Amino acid sequence: MFEKVLIASRGEIALRIHRACREMGINTVAVHSTADAHAMHVRLADEAVCIGPPAAADSYLNIPAIISAAEITGAEAIHPGYGFLSENANFAKIVAAHGITFVGPTSEHISLMGDKIAAKETVKRLGIPVVPGSDGGVTTEEEARRVSDEIGYPVIIKAAAGGGGRGMKVAQTAEDVGTALSAARTESKAAFGDDAVYIEKYLGKPRHIEVQILADSHGNVVHLGERDCSLQRRHQKVLEEAPSPALNASQRAEIGERVSKAISGLGYLGAGTIEFLYENGEFYFIEMNTRLQVEHPITEAITGIDIVREQLRIADGAPLSFTQDDITFTGHAIECRINAEDPNTFVPMPGQITEYHAPGGLDVRVDSAIYSGYKVPPYYDSLIAKLVVRGGNRNECIMRLRRALEEYVIGGVPTTLDVHRALISNADFQNGSYDIHWLENFIANRE
Ligand code: MV4
């Protein structure tokens, strides 16, 4: 096993990775910007290297500085966390070229899944159901009209280089296709420097359900079930749960097996997430994430598997420490993302934490890098904590979550804690009856 791993991230996820390393006897190297000199991930790591000024472009995205930090400290591997360089194929390639192990898939697989058109074609060939739409990209209005007329309206035009909802345009009728196409292409070009787009049938009220997989270098692939991430606001996930209230055990096993088989065929390595829209009992692939995800702890909570530990073992060439038959799904888990934001406008509100008390007790996990006196910097994502609660079933989980949210005290900055308190008291939430648009309406109609 590696003796030393560099963690190319910050905040709660840097801490999460540090904890896995510690338990495995691996020494850690933190990298940080000047704004993060007093951050918890720096305080806990065995060594820390300052890699640049506050702006992420000059620090957490500064590839030469991060490679230098790894070389100077003698780190044998780099874990990229999520965000920043985690899905940057060029970074993965440079890391490998320096004889350092990238904790993640190959640069080629990152690149393939980064191209949404190529990703969709590839998984379709491997037996994964996809949303009906264009075969590959579309460029001209005639082509877009022809495809749209064939699949039926409404349609959605998406950026090949996209993700996160940017460069997406819906056309309700044939008359809207031309406008939607040029808008999507212009937006994609501006956001990603690439105007390639593709077309899909627009699904009106789907859920967002994603399947977690792990694949080792010995040809073993397992799935760890699904997470329901439908509760989002402006493409930012707010609360996630596992299992999905919409699936039963046989549906779970069926999609899980399909996904595992496809991932085997792909020769993929490491942790990954296959995202689907789910409507009327059918799954439709949309994207694959080639990184550790923010919401991975809810899967850990119901499987007992340490996903980061497995990532490190896989990167080191070890086989998975269990088979699919060893994996059982026990109970229910929910994650609340707590952001330093105005709870009404969701505008980030950085500042100093003046008071802090985290909840605890049985099956209550808090992943956070904040502490009393800590100054939340204005330069990065506003996520400051993840409250992850498990229960024997969904109702027990919600009861325990309510109790944990009541205990949680964060003073000095406004947070989204009250959003979660209101959300879990709502009858639709309690019944598990929601889709990807439900939360926007809930937020708009509060009080
Ligand atoms: C869709 C869709 C409806 N139909 N594709 C948004 C982000 C991107 N990753 C995929 N997205 C969507 N793709 C088809 N064919 C609706 C969305 C969508 C969405 C998806 C997941 C979670 C929240 C969402 C909010 C708005 C739109």
Side-chain angles (χ1 to χ4, degrees), residues 310-332:
E310 294 306 322
Q311 283 190 294
L312 290 161
R313 285 176 46 88
I314 291 166
D316 193 43
L320 285 170
S321 43
F322 44 79
T323 67
Q324 189 69 54
D325 289 342
D326 296 328
I327 299 166
T328 51
F329 303 106
T330 312
H332 196 91

Side-chain angles (χ1 to χ4, degrees), residues 2 4-10 13-14 16-18 20-21 29 31 66 75-82 85-86 91 95 100-104 271 290-293 296 307-313 315:
F2 311 117
K4 197 185 273 190
V5 170
L6 183 145
I7 302 165
S9 189
R10 64 177 305 282
I13 199 64
R16 167 70 189 89
I17 298 160
H18 168 81
C21 289
V29 180
V31 291
I66 294 167
E76 306 142 81
I78 298 181
H79 194 310
Y82 57 65
L85 297 168
S86 61
F91 179 60
V95 169
I100 302 167
T101 302
F102 179 78
V103 182
T290 57
R291 61 167 191 282
L292 178 69
Q293 288 198 261
H296 77 278
I307 294 173
V308 178
R309 182 188 182 91
E310 294 306 322
Q311 283 190 294
L312 290 161
R313 285 176 46 88

Side-chain angles (χ1 to χ4, degrees), residues 120 131-132 155-156 158 162-166 168 170 198-208 229-237 275-277 284 286-287 436-437 440:
K120 193 176 170 183
V131 191
V155 298
I156 184 166
K158 295 182 173 182
R166 279 195 299 176
M168 264 177 29
V170 176
Y198 60 109
I199 303 187
E200 287 183 344
K201 172 98 188 149
Y202 179 73
L203 305 176
K205 289 185 164 299
R207 300 178 79 110
H208 172 126
C229 306
S230 302
L231 296 172
Q232 311 204 6
R233 181 190 171 271
R234 301 201 182 159
H235 304 293
Q236 295 293 318
K237 294 171 186 166
E275 294 188 347
F276 294 94
L277 296 178
Y284 304 92
I286 45 170
E287 290 171 24
I436 59 169
H437 303 296
E440 303 269 7

Side-chain angles (χ1 to χ4, degrees), residues 97-367:
H98 283 77
I100 302 167
T101 302
F102 179 78
V103 182
T106 62
S107 168
E108 288 75 20
H109 280 131
I110 296 174
S111 188
L112 173 68
M113 294 305 167
D115 176 346
K116 308 302 166 189
I117 295 173
K120 193 176 170 183
E121 263 169 17
T122 303
V123 304
K124 186 180 177 187
R125 182 169 51 73
L126 293 166
I128 298 287
V130 302
V131 191
S134 54
D135 280 323
V138 290
T139 46
T140 66
E141 189 175 337
E142 298 107 278
E143 207 182 348
R145 271 290 291 271
R146 186 180 51 72
V147 172
S148 301
D149 287 348
E150 198 178 299
I151 59 179
Y153 294 89
V155 298
I156 184 166
I157 305 177
K158 295 182 173 182
R166 279 195 299 176
M168 264 177 29
K169 290 284 171 259
V170 176
Q172 293 295 341
T173 65
E175 287 68 58
D176 303 335
V177 169
T179 319
L181 177 69
S182 40
R185 293 187 62 168
T186 306
E187 213 173 281
S188 304
K189 185 79 189 170
F192 313 107
D194 178 1
D195 63 3
V197 299
Y198 60 109
I199 303 187
E200 287 183 344
K201 172 98 188 149
Y202 179 73
L203 305 176
K205 289 185 164 299
R207 300 178 79 110
H208 172 126
I209 298 180
E210 57 185 34
V211 176
Q212 175 74 55
I213 61 93
L214 288 171
D216 68 18
S217 57
H218 302 264
N220 305 303
V221 179
V222 296
H223 73 84
L224 303 183
E226 82 286 4
R227 297 182 285 259
D228 197 314
C229 306
S230 302
L231 296 172
Q232 311 204 6
R233 181 190 171 271
R234 301 201 182 159
H235 304 293
Q236 295 293 318
K237 294 171 186 166
V238 171
L239 177 153
E240 307 96 339
E241 55 180 319
S244 169
L247 298 192
N248 61 36
S250 82
Q251 290 172 298
R252 173 167 312 111
E254 195 189 313
I255 191 68
E257 278 161 32
R258 282 249 218 159
V259 166
S260 291
K261 220 170 140 188
I263 293 300
S264 286
L266 199 58
Y268 185 83
L269 187 74
T273 303
I274 297 78
E275 294 188 347
F276 294 94
L277 296 178
Y278 177 80
E279 193 175 68
N280 300 325
E282 301 287 340
F283 285 93
Y284 304 92
F285 169 88
I286 45 170
E287 290 171 24
M288 177 169 179
N289 298 319
T290 57
R291 61 167 191 282
L292 178 69
Q293 288 198 261
V294 176
E295 60 273 23
H296 77 278
I298 56 175
T299 299
E300 298 185 321
I302 63 162
T303 61
I305 291 165
D306 181 334
I307 294 173
V308 178
R309 182 188 182 91
E310 294 306 322
Q311 283 190 294
L312 290 161
R313 285 176 46 88
I314 291 166
D316 193 43
L320 285 170
S321 43
F322 44 79
T323 67
Q324 189 69 54
D325 289 342
D326 296 328
I327 299 166
T328 51
F329 303 106
T330 312
H332 196 91
I334 296 177
E335 170 178 278
C336 293
R337 295 191 186 197
I338 298 151
N339 293 347
E341 288 174 357
D342 182 295
N344 296 308
T345 61
F346 295 87
V347 170
M349 291 282 169
Q352 186 160 28
I353 308 288
T354 53
E355 209 184 351
Y356 187 65
H357 174 77
L362 181 67
D363 283 340
V364 175
R365 166 176 173 180
V366 175
D367 278 17

